[in-house]
PDB file of all heavy atoms in Angstrom:
ATOM      1  N   GLU A   1      65.310 116.109 123.245  1.00 88.00           N
ATOM      2  CA  GLU A   1      65.976 117.091 122.287  1.00 88.00           C
ATOM      3  C   GLU A   1      65.568 118.413 122.764  1.00 88.00           C
ATOM      4  O   GLU A   1      66.160 119.397 122.227  1.00 88.00           O
ATOM      5  CB  GLU A   1      65.555 116.736 120.970  1.00 88.00           C
ATOM      6  CG  GLU A   1      64.232 117.375 120.433  1.00 88.00           C
ATOM      7  CD  GLU A   1      63.009 116.675 120.816  1.00 88.00           C
ATOM      8  OE1 GLU A   1      63.187 115.526 121.502  1.00 88.00           O
ATOM      9  OE2 GLU A   1      61.908 117.120 120.525  1.00 88.00           O
ATOM     10  N   ARG A   2      64.528 118.631 123.588  1.00 83.00           N
ATOM     11  CA  ARG A   2      64.168 120.035 124.001  1.00 83.00           C
ATOM     12  C   ARG A   2      64.964 120.653 125.078  1.00 83.00           C
ATOM     13  O   ARG A   2      64.817 121.736 125.617  1.00 83.00           O
ATOM     14  CB  ARG A   2      62.688 119.931 124.387  1.00 83.00           C
ATOM     15  CG  ARG A   2      61.733 119.447 123.414  1.00 83.00           C
ATOM     16  CD  ARG A   2      60.377 119.831 123.681  1.00 83.00           C
ATOM     17  NE  ARG A   2      59.430 119.090 122.701  1.00 83.00           N
ATOM     18  CZ  ARG A   2      59.250 119.637 121.434  1.00 83.00           C
ATOM     19  NH1 ARG A   2      59.830 120.649 121.037  1.00 83.00           N
ATOM     20  NH2 ARG A   2      58.354 118.913 120.634  1.00 83.00           N
ATOM     21  N   HIS A   3      65.981 119.789 125.531  1.00 89.00           N
ATOM     22  CA  HIS A   3      66.897 120.258 126.607  1.00 89.00           C
ATOM     23  C   HIS A   3      68.362 120.271 126.219  1.00 89.00           C
ATOM     24  O   HIS A   3      68.768 119.673 125.120  1.00 89.00           O
ATOM     25  CB  HIS A   3      66.767 119.380 127.892  1.00 89.00           C
ATOM     26  CG  HIS A   3      65.307 119.421 128.381  1.00 89.00           C
ATOM     27  ND1 HIS A   3      64.782 120.339 129.236  1.00 89.00           N
ATOM     28  CD2 HIS A   3      64.204 118.459 128.142  1.00 89.00           C
ATOM     29  CE1 HIS A   3      63.533 120.038 129.467  1.00 89.00           C
ATOM     30  NE2 HIS A   3      63.133 118.914 128.847  1.00 89.00           N
ATOM     31  N   LYS A   4      69.167 120.883 126.949  1.00 93.00           N
ATOM     32  CA  LYS A   4      70.492 120.853 126.638  1.00 93.00           C
ATOM     33  C   LYS A   4      71.110 119.378 126.705  1.00 93.00           C
ATOM     34  O   LYS A   4      70.582 118.684 127.548  1.00 93.00           O
ATOM     35  CB  LYS A   4      71.404 121.813 127.588  1.00 93.00           C
ATOM     36  CG  LYS A   4      71.147 123.266 127.423  1.00 93.00           C
ATOM     37  CD  LYS A   4      71.915 124.044 128.425  1.00 93.00           C
ATOM     38  CE  LYS A   4      71.644 125.484 128.394  1.00 93.00           C
ATOM     39  NZ  LYS A   4      72.308 126.306 129.426  1.00 93.00           N
ATOM     40  N   VAL A   5      72.000 119.062 125.934  1.00 96.00           N
ATOM     41  CA  VAL A   5      72.508 117.603 125.889  1.00 96.00           C
ATOM     42  C   VAL A   5      72.891 117.197 127.243  1.00 96.00           C
ATOM     43  O   VAL A   5      72.542 116.050 127.632  1.00 96.00           O
ATOM     44  CB  VAL A   5      73.734 117.546 124.906  1.00 96.00           C
ATOM     45  CG1 VAL A   5      74.373 116.157 125.010  1.00 96.00           C
ATOM     46  CG2 VAL A   5      73.305 117.747 123.435  1.00 96.00           C
ATOM     47  N   GLU A   6      73.769 117.982 127.959  1.00 96.00           N
ATOM     48  CA  GLU A   6      74.242 117.516 129.260  1.00 96.00           C
ATOM     49  C   GLU A   6      73.075 117.271 130.237  1.00 96.00           C
ATOM     50  O   GLU A   6      73.056 116.442 131.056  1.00 96.00           O
ATOM     51  CB  GLU A   6      75.356 118.466 129.789  1.00 96.00           C
ATOM     52  CG  GLU A   6      74.763 119.925 129.945  1.00 96.00           C
ATOM     53  CD  GLU A   6      75.043 120.744 128.798  1.00 96.00           C
ATOM     54  OE1 GLU A   6      75.171 120.200 127.587  1.00 96.00           O
ATOM     55  OE2 GLU A   6      75.062 122.054 128.877  1.00 96.00           O
ATOM     56  N   GLU A   7      71.999 118.157 130.114  1.00 96.00           N
ATOM     57  CA  GLU A   7      70.818 118.011 131.036  1.00 96.00           C
ATOM     58  C   GLU A   7      70.136 116.666 130.872  1.00 96.00           C
ATOM     59  O   GLU A   7      69.774 115.963 131.776  1.00 96.00           O
ATOM     60  CB  GLU A   7      69.999 119.143 130.913  1.00 96.00           C
ATOM     61  CG  GLU A   7      70.515 120.482 131.449  1.00 96.00           C
ATOM     62  CD  GLU A   7      69.652 121.690 131.225  1.00 96.00           C
ATOM     63  OE1 GLU A   7      68.522 121.419 130.590  1.00 96.00           O
ATOM     64  OE2 GLU A   7      69.969 122.830 131.614  1.00 96.00           O
ATOM     65  N   SER A   8      69.893 116.323 129.600  1.00 97.00           N
ATOM     66  CA  SER A   8      69.234 115.145 129.214  1.00 97.00           C
ATOM     67  C   SER A   8      69.967 113.863 129.465  1.00 97.00           C
ATOM     68  O   SER A   8      69.465 112.837 129.921  1.00 97.00           O
ATOM     69  CB  SER A   8      68.849 115.124 127.739  1.00 97.00           C
ATOM     70  OG  SER A   8      67.802 116.177 127.477  1.00 97.00           O
ATOM     71  N   VAL A   9      71.380 113.960 129.286  1.00 97.00           N
ATOM     72  CA  VAL A   9      72.220 112.833 129.609  1.00 97.00           C
ATOM     73  C   VAL A   9      72.155 112.531 131.077  1.00 97.00           C
ATOM     74  O   VAL A   9      71.905 111.293 131.516  1.00 97.00           O
ATOM     75  CB  VAL A   9      73.638 113.212 129.255  1.00 97.00           C
ATOM     76  CG1 VAL A   9      74.701 112.086 129.909  1.00 97.00           C
ATOM     77  CG2 VAL A   9      73.821 113.153 127.750  1.00 97.00           C
ATOM     78  N   GLU A  10      72.170 113.572 131.909  1.00 98.00           N
ATOM     79  CA  GLU A  10      72.068 113.423 133.324  1.00 98.00           C
ATOM     80  C   GLU A  10      70.680 112.918 133.785  1.00 98.00           C
ATOM     81  O   GLU A  10      70.520 112.280 134.727  1.00 98.00           O
ATOM     82  CB  GLU A  10      72.428 114.834 134.105  1.00 98.00           C
ATOM     83  CG  GLU A  10      73.831 115.026 134.070  1.00 98.00           C
ATOM     84  CD  GLU A  10      74.765 113.988 134.564  1.00 98.00           C
ATOM     85  OE1 GLU A  10      74.478 113.460 135.624  1.00 98.00           O
ATOM     86  OE2 GLU A  10      75.755 113.596 133.889  1.00 98.00           O
ATOM     87  N   LEU A  11      69.597 113.266 133.055  1.00 98.00           N
ATOM     88  CA  LEU A  11      68.304 112.840 133.384  1.00 98.00           C
ATOM     89  C   LEU A  11      68.249 111.260 133.175  1.00 98.00           C
ATOM     90  O   LEU A  11      67.680 110.615 134.085  1.00 98.00           O
ATOM     91  CB  LEU A  11      67.319 113.525 132.418  1.00 98.00           C
ATOM     92  CG  LEU A  11      65.813 113.406 132.828  1.00 98.00           C
ATOM     93  CD1 LEU A  11      65.477 114.048 134.158  1.00 98.00           C
ATOM     94  CD2 LEU A  11      64.967 113.968 131.691  1.00 98.00           C
ATOM     95  N   ILE A  12      68.649 110.864 132.013  1.00 98.00           N
ATOM     96  CA  ILE A  12      68.717 109.319 131.904  1.00 98.00           C
ATOM     97  C   ILE A  12      69.542 108.565 132.966  1.00 98.00           C
ATOM     98  O   ILE A  12      69.198 107.657 133.433  1.00 98.00           O
ATOM     99  CB  ILE A  12      69.250 109.013 130.366  1.00 98.00           C
ATOM    100  CG1 ILE A  12      68.303 109.642 129.409  1.00 98.00           C
ATOM    101  CG2 ILE A  12      69.378 107.567 130.278  1.00 98.00           C
ATOM    102  CD1 ILE A  12      68.717 109.591 127.943  1.00 98.00           C
ATOM    103  N   LYS A  13      70.752 109.173 133.233  1.00 98.00           N
ATOM    104  CA  LYS A  13      71.652 108.692 134.206  1.00 98.00           C
ATOM    105  C   LYS A  13      70.906 108.532 135.606  1.00 98.00           C
ATOM    106  O   LYS A  13      70.959 107.589 136.340  1.00 98.00           O
ATOM    107  CB  LYS A  13      72.950 109.267 134.270  1.00 98.00           C
ATOM    108  CG  LYS A  13      73.857 109.083 133.191  1.00 98.00           C
ATOM    109  CD  LYS A  13      75.205 109.851 133.401  1.00 98.00           C
ATOM    110  CE  LYS A  13      76.118 109.557 132.209  1.00 98.00           C
ATOM    111  NZ  LYS A  13      77.415 110.169 132.420  1.00 98.00           N
ATOM    112  N   TYR A  14      70.140 109.592 135.962  1.00 98.00           N
ATOM    113  CA  TYR A  14      69.446 109.535 137.182  1.00 98.00           C
ATOM    114  C   TYR A  14      68.382 108.520 137.162  1.00 98.00           C
ATOM    115  O   TYR A  14      68.258 107.837 138.194  1.00 98.00           O
ATOM    116  CB  TYR A  14      68.711 110.984 137.246  1.00 98.00           C
ATOM    117  CG  TYR A  14      67.851 111.082 138.585  1.00 98.00           C
ATOM    118  CD1 TYR A  14      68.489 111.380 139.805  1.00 98.00           C
ATOM    119  CD2 TYR A  14      66.527 110.919 138.586  1.00 98.00           C
ATOM    120  CE1 TYR A  14      67.759 111.522 140.971  1.00 98.00           C
ATOM    121  CE2 TYR A  14      65.727 111.067 139.803  1.00 98.00           C
ATOM    122  CZ  TYR A  14      66.359 111.306 140.977  1.00 98.00           C
ATOM    123  OH  TYR A  14      65.685 111.443 142.060  1.00 98.00           O
ATOM    124  N   ALA A  15      67.573 108.337 135.988  1.00 98.00           N
ATOM    125  CA  ALA A  15      66.590 107.258 135.889  1.00 98.00           C
ATOM    126  C   ALA A  15      67.285 105.925 136.234  1.00 98.00           C
ATOM    127  O   ALA A  15      66.630 105.090 136.857  1.00 98.00           O
ATOM    128  CB  ALA A  15      65.970 107.370 134.570  1.00 98.00           C
ATOM    129  N   GLY A  16      68.482 105.688 135.577  1.00 98.00           N
ATOM    130  CA  GLY A  16      69.079 104.454 135.754  1.00 98.00           C
ATOM    131  C   GLY A  16      69.505 104.122 137.117  1.00 98.00           C
ATOM    132  O   GLY A  16      69.396 103.034 137.692  1.00 98.00           O
ATOM    133  N   SER A  17      69.884 105.281 137.897  1.00 98.00           N
ATOM    134  CA  SER A  17      70.255 105.138 139.293  1.00 98.00           C
ATOM    135  C   SER A  17      69.074 104.707 140.148  1.00 98.00           C
ATOM    136  O   SER A  17      69.280 104.193 141.275  1.00 98.00           O
ATOM    137  CB  SER A  17      70.875 106.365 139.777  1.00 98.00           C
ATOM    138  OG  SER A  17      69.953 107.353 139.947  1.00 98.00           O
ATOM    139  N   LYS A  18      67.910 105.052 139.695  1.00 98.00           N
ATOM    140  CA  LYS A  18      66.651 104.720 140.531  1.00 98.00           C
ATOM    141  C   LYS A  18      66.048 103.337 140.101  1.00 98.00           C
ATOM    142  O   LYS A  18      65.059 102.788 140.493  1.00 98.00           O
ATOM    143  CB  LYS A  18      65.570 105.687 140.224  1.00 98.00           C
ATOM    144  CG  LYS A  18      66.065 107.095 140.770  1.00 98.00           C
ATOM    145  CD  LYS A  18      66.104 107.067 142.182  1.00 98.00           C
ATOM    146  CE  LYS A  18      66.487 108.434 142.754  1.00 98.00           C
ATOM    147  NZ  LYS A  18      66.639 108.457 144.329  1.00 98.00           N
ATOM    148  N   GLY A  19      66.855 102.488 139.125  1.00 98.00           N
ATOM    149  CA  GLY A  19      66.335 101.200 138.775  1.00 98.00           C
ATOM    150  C   GLY A  19      65.637 101.054 137.499  1.00 98.00           C
ATOM    151  O   GLY A  19      65.199 100.040 137.161  1.00 98.00           O
ATOM    152  N   ILE A  20      65.441 102.216 136.817  1.00 98.00           N
ATOM    153  CA  ILE A  20      64.730 102.173 135.587  1.00 98.00           C
ATOM    154  C   ILE A  20      65.716 101.591 134.509  1.00 98.00           C
ATOM    155  O   ILE A  20      66.844 101.927 134.550  1.00 98.00           O
ATOM    156  CB  ILE A  20      64.347 103.618 135.105  1.00 98.00           C
ATOM    157  CG1 ILE A  20      63.190 104.113 135.904  1.00 98.00           C
ATOM    158  CG2 ILE A  20      63.933 103.569 133.563  1.00 98.00           C
ATOM    159  CD1 ILE A  20      62.859 105.581 135.651  1.00 98.00           C
ATOM    160  N   ASN A  21      65.323 100.509 133.736  1.00 98.00           N
ATOM    161  CA  ASN A  21      66.117  99.808 132.865  1.00 98.00           C
ATOM    162  C   ASN A  21      65.706  99.644 131.505  1.00 98.00           C
ATOM    163  O   ASN A  21      66.213  98.941 130.596  1.00 98.00           O
ATOM    164  CB  ASN A  21      66.525  98.395 133.482  1.00 98.00           C
ATOM    165  CG  ASN A  21      65.325  97.414 133.398  1.00 98.00           C
ATOM    166  OD1 ASN A  21      64.147  97.787 133.073  1.00 98.00           O
ATOM    167  ND2 ASN A  21      65.567  96.220 133.695  1.00 98.00           N
ATOM    168  N   ILE A  22      64.510 100.289 131.076  1.00 98.00           N
ATOM    169  CA  ILE A  22      64.013 100.184 129.777  1.00 98.00           C
ATOM    170  C   ILE A  22      63.798 101.603 129.243  1.00 98.00           C
ATOM    171  O   ILE A  22      63.190 102.480 129.981  1.00 98.00           O
ATOM    172  CB  ILE A  22      62.725  99.344 129.665  1.00 98.00           C
ATOM    173  CG1 ILE A  22      62.260  99.292 128.196  1.00 98.00           C
ATOM    174  CG2 ILE A  22      61.684  99.930 130.616  1.00 98.00           C
ATOM    175  CD1 ILE A  22      61.180  98.198 128.000  1.00 98.00           C
ATOM    176  N   ILE A  23      64.282 101.846 128.040  1.00 98.00           N
ATOM    177  CA  ILE A  23      64.079 103.213 127.385  1.00 98.00           C
ATOM    178  C   ILE A  23      63.634 103.079 125.964  1.00 98.00           C
ATOM    179  O   ILE A  23      64.059 102.125 125.284  1.00 98.00           O
ATOM    180  CB  ILE A  23      65.448 103.955 127.377  1.00 98.00           C
ATOM    181  CG1 ILE A  23      65.257 105.423 127.002  1.00 98.00           C
ATOM    182  CG2 ILE A  23      66.584 103.332 126.698  1.00 98.00           C
ATOM    183  CD1 ILE A  23      66.436 106.351 127.276  1.00 98.00           C
ATOM    184  N   ASP A  24      62.816 103.904 125.552  1.00 98.00           N
ATOM    185  CA  ASP A  24      62.251 103.868 124.164  1.00 98.00           C
ATOM    186  C   ASP A  24      62.898 104.925 123.346  1.00 98.00           C
ATOM    187  O   ASP A  24      62.967 106.098 123.784  1.00 98.00           O
ATOM    188  CB  ASP A  24      60.657 103.972 124.207  1.00 98.00           C
ATOM    189  CG  ASP A  24      60.115 104.063 122.750  1.00 98.00           C
ATOM    190  OD1 ASP A  24      60.100 102.927 122.105  1.00 98.00           O
ATOM    191  OD2 ASP A  24      59.733 105.107 122.185  1.00 98.00           O
TER     192      ASP A  24
END
């Protein structure tokens, strides 16, 4: 929540592209 919505959305998508599959 400390970042712009679009920035945080892209951050999660980037994590997913690297194989990360669990989020809290």
Side-chain angles (χ1 to χ4, degrees):
E1 85 284 358
R2 303 198 187 280
H3 303 278
K4 294 179 180 178
V5 171
E6 56 271 21
E7 292 176 358
S8 288
V9 167
E10 288 305 312
L11 193 66
I12 296 173
K13 288 184 176 181
Y14 179 81
S17 73
K18 296 297 183 179
I20 292 175
N21 72 351
I22 180 170
I23 187 167
D24 180 70

